[in-house]
Amino acid sequence: MEGFSLKSRAIAFAMCAGAVAFILALAAASTPQAITIESAGRALIAAIICGVMCWASAERSIASTAEAIDSAIERLQGAANGDLQSGIPPQVHESVPTLARAMDGLFRQLHANLESVQRLAMFDPVTSLPNRTNFRRTAERMLAELPPGNVAVLYFIDLDRFKHVNDTMGHATGDALLGMVANRLRAVADRFAAETDARPPLIGRLAGDEFTMFFPTLRHVREAERIGRGILYALSEPFDLSDQEVSIGASIGIALRPEHGTTLHDLMRAADAAMYHAKAMGRGRAEHFTEILAAEIADRARLESDLREAVDKDQFTLVYQPQVSAAEGRIVAAEALLRWRHPDGLKMPGTFIQRAEETGLIVEIGEWVVESVAETISRWGRLGVEQRMAVNISPRQLDHASFFRKLREAMLAANAPAHLLELEITETLAMHCSSEVLEAIAQLRADGATIAIDDFGTGYSNIARLRTLPIDRIKLDRSLIEHVADSAEARTIAQAVIGLIHGLGCEAVAEGIESDDQATVLRVIGCDILQGYAVATPMEEDAFLEWARAVEPQRIAG
């Protein structure tokens, strides 16, 4: 019966009832031997009367209800196809009021749920501002509607000290602060829109402590500067949080249409670059996008493209700089240093590592370094070279405990002894790495690897935490040893730091030694290991192995 309405089924029921009455009447009015025309006529009359009576009964008790239910089914099918605006059919209200009330309640709840989902999908729940998706869609539509010559301005706003508030006062207080920031931005927007009698600006929260404000119409370019100062002033005023005043401030990047682009993508990129420039200039500033910043963006984009090509074409290589015992002059380790064989010439890490970390390419480069170091350790082991191999770990790698798992797997796959591996992490990273990462480092150290703190003296060390870290060696930053040969104060500081390192039960390593006088002083004040151009320059693998075989320990030890 699929495909038939309830009303048609009620009519079919009445017809079937009439047919049954006809057969029964025919059987009752006829003899077993023959059915006559007279008996068939009487039976037909009875069947018609019975069918009419059944139809009348079905019409009263079934058909009207069935028609209402048919209308309700049709309305629900429309709702399933997205029509939530049409009302409940009147026949449902008349014949089945309970069903009508249930459907009405269901549609009201669906409306509420969809509005809630829409709000969650398009608006930030903390500030009630448009989120990234909503801001982008709306701003793109507004830009598309603007006449070609109209001046518009986009502000990229980053709060300066929000993380400190979040860390010290909790995320609930941080959310309350974000709500206050949003209210102040609304006030600034309303004030300038009212003053200029212009279209209200669009404000959005992109993520974290990043906000955007788009003014689609400016009478003059100078207004962009005035609005920027207004935003800075509004956000520099203290906020009342948890019965105390909190000051944060903001750094703002400004991009103009059409000067800096006509699409949202171009304006966002320009404003973002200007914001980072404002932070670099000391924060609490509003900076315009400039041609210099445009050139820097182009250079970064070109460098990123070249780096991706370098990863694909295997353009990286390692060179090795020896570390020698200050007392004996023998080689104790070699630091593996990354180089980029760029088509324009060999590039040092300082020219590309930061960009590699910004783009995430450092992860792929780091994996290549790990595999190369493991293979080199294994190869040197077969040659009888027993010096440790030291390798630096980037902040992006240190963020993931999986890096250490991959490192162990690479060492095992290459059959490289763990005791010939040394990992170097910076002082700042060592102070802030997670417990999960510390456990992974400790596990690698338990396998036999050596752990070193690099660039010691440039960060802010917690001595109590330093004592608990799984470390073996601490490398003094070159700034601590640069003047030890000609400054008594520098010698005193270096000697004190070396004493602290020994007190922690670690070896002291001096890197960046550029003269024999520096090496002599460091040897006298107790440094354990020396590294730098005064000992040897970084070398290709073959040159390093040849140098290691020919080196005279006593000459290096002085």
Side-chain angles (χ1 to χ4, degrees):
M1 297 292 289
E2 186 176 355
F4 291 92
S5 68
L6 291 175
K7 183 175 181 179
S8 64
R9 294 180 186 184
I11 294 172
F13 168 76
M15 294 176 64
C16 289
V20 170
F22 171 73
I23 293 170
L24 292 176
L26 184 63
S30 305
T31 62
Q33 289 78 19
I35 298 175
T36 64
I37 294 175
E38 183 180 358
S39 64
R42 288 196 298 269
L44 182 60
I45 292 171
I48 291 172
I49 294 172
C50 183
V52 169
M53 293 178 63
C54 287
W55 162 247
S57 175
E59 177 65 22
R60 287 195 303 271
S61 61
I62 298 176
S64 58
T65 302
E67 185 178 8
I69 293 175
D70 286 336
S71 299
I73 292 172
E74 185 178 353
R75 178 67 190 91
L76 288 170
Q77 287 175 337
N81 292 326
D83 177 16
L84 297 177
Q85 302 300 322
S86 302
I88 308 300
Q91 54 265 46
V92 180
H93 283 286
E94 295 170 2
S95 300
V96 197
T98 304
L99 177 59
R101 288 193 296 271
M103 291 176 64
D104 189 51
L106 173 63
F107 290 155
R108 280 201 305 270
Q109 186 62 48
L110 281 173
H111 271 294
N113 290 347
L114 288 174
E115 288 178 0
S116 177
V117 169
Q118 175 75 3
R119 187 159 191 84
L120 288 173
M122 303 303 287
F123 290 88
D124 170 49
V126 175
T127 62
S128 297
L129 293 174
N131 60 16
R132 179 186 293 271
T133 301
N134 190 357
F135 179 86
R136 282 185 173 278
R137 289 179 182 175
T138 307
E140 285 171 350
R141 186 173 65 251
M142 294 168 75
L143 281 166
E145 294 170 354
L146 292 177
N150 268 38
V151 178
V153 60
L154 177 72
Y155 298 91
F156 199 109
I157 306 160
D158 188 272
L159 305 182
D160 284 337
R161 290 175 289 277
F162 174 74
K163 185 177 185 301
H164 176 72
V165 175
N166 237 10
D167 292 343
T168 58
M169 303 179 71
H171 290 282
T173 302
D175 286 349
L177 175 58
L178 291 173
M180 295 178 181
V181 168
N183 289 335
R184 291 193 184 183
L185 292 177
R186 290 188 185 97
V188 171
D190 292 344
R191 176 162 60 88
F192 280 100
E195 288 178 3
T196 59
D197 195 25
R199 184 176 178 181
L202 175 67
I203 310 172
R205 180 190 175 202
L206 299 187
D209 58 355
E210 295 178 345
F211 294 82
T212 47
M213 187 182 293
F214 177 61
F215 281 79
T217 305
L218 289 183
R219 290 178 303 188
H220 197 278
V221 172
R222 288 192 299 269
E223 290 183 351
E225 184 74 26
R226 190 165 64 91
I227 296 171
R229 288 197 302 269
I231 298 171
L232 279 178
Y233 178 78
L235 298 182
S236 65
E237 290 291 295
F239 293 84
D240 292 325
L241 286 171
S242 302
D243 298 326
Q244 60 179 301
E245 288 190 344
V246 174
S247 296
I248 52 170
S251 298
I252 302 174
I254 304 173
L256 293 168
R257 175 200 186 271
E259 182 179 348
H260 302 139
T262 56
T263 67
L264 182 64
H265 176 268
D266 291 340
L267 292 175
M268 288 284 284
R269 184 178 63 170
D272 185 45
M275 183 274 293
Y276 277 107
H277 180 60
K279 282 192 176 293
M281 295 294 290
R283 304 189 177 195
R285 305 166 61 95
E287 293 287 338
H288 284 264
F289 186 69
T290 63
E291 291 302 320
I292 295 175
L293 291 177
E296 291 177 357
I297 289 175
D299 288 343
R300 287 202 300 270
R302 185 165 52 251
L303 179 56
E304 179 181 351
S305 176
D306 288 350
L307 279 171
R308 294 189 185 280
E309 185 176 354
V311 170
D312 293 338
K313 294 185 176 181
D314 196 21
Q315 293 178 349
F316 295 104
T317 187
L318 294 176
V319 294
Y320 307 92
Q321 186 173 38
Q323 298 174 352
V324 301
S325 167
E328 304 171 6
R330 62 182 177 84
I331 302 175
V332 296
E335 181 174 1
L337 301 170
L338 184 65
R339 298 291 186 265
W340 178 9
R341 290 192 295 257
H342 192 275
D344 295 337
L346 196 67
K347 289 186 178 293
M348 305 293 281
T351 64
F352 63 86
I353 285 295
Q354 181 178 352
R355 188 59 182 156
E357 290 181 342
E358 291 171 353
T359 59
L361 285 169
I362 192 65
V363 175
E364 295 178 62
I365 296 172
E367 290 175 355
W368 177 87
V369 169
V370 164
E371 293 176 1
S372 299
V373 165
E375 291 172 359
T376 304
I377 289 175
S378 177
R379 185 167 57 251
W380 287 10
R382 292 192 298 271
L383 295 173
V385 179
E386 288 295 319
Q387 283 84 21
R388 289 192 302 268
M389 177 87 65
V391 59
N392 283 283
I393 305 175
S394 77
R396 290 290 294 268
Q397 291 168 317
L398 198 65
D399 282 343
H400 305 285
S402 60
F403 164 77
F404 299 94
R405 185 181 67 254
K406 291 178 181 177
L407 175 57
R408 294 181 71 201
E409 291 172 354
M411 294 289 288
L412 289 172
N415 197 25
H419 72 274
L420 295 181
L421 174 68
E422 180 172 307
L423 297 183
E424 294 185 1
I425 58 178
T426 65
E427 176 185 5
T428 302
L429 290 176
M431 291 299 105
H432 297 96
C433 57
S434 66
S435 57
E436 183 183 14
V437 169
L438 284 179
E439 290 175 6
I441 292 175
Q443 180 61 53
L444 200 61
R445 187 168 179 252
D447 291 344
T450 303
I451 310 299
I453 299 293
D454 196 14
D455 300 331
F456 187 78
T458 59
Y460 298 94
S461 289
N462 181 323
I463 301 301
R465 178 177 172 85
L466 201 59
R467 288 177 55 200
T468 63
L469 292 176
I471 56 176
D472 304 281
R473 309 166 78 196
I474 296 179
K475 300 182 71 173
L476 283 71
D477 186 72
R478 64 185 62 229
S479 63
L480 289 176
I481 64 173
E482 184 178 4
H483 300 291
V484 293
D486 51 41
S487 169
E489 290 181 353
R491 285 193 293 274
T492 301
I493 293 172
Q495 188 170 12
V497 173
I498 290 171
L500 171 63
I501 293 171
H502 288 161
L504 293 169
C506 298
E507 288 184 313
V509 183
E511 62 178 346
I513 300 172
E514 297 181 353
S515 71
D516 291 337
D517 290 341
Q518 288 175 332
T520 300
V521 170
L522 289 163
R523 190 179 297 112
V524 170
I525 63 178
C527 189
D528 301 295
I529 298 169
L530 307 177
Q531 176 184 351
Y533 277 43
V535 177
T537 59
M539 296 170 273
E540 297 280 352
E541 182 178 351
D542 292 341
F544 172 81
L545 292 175
E546 184 178 349
W547 183 90
R549 294 188 191 101
V551 70
E552 299 177 11
Q554 292 304 318
R555 180 182 63 81
I556 294 177

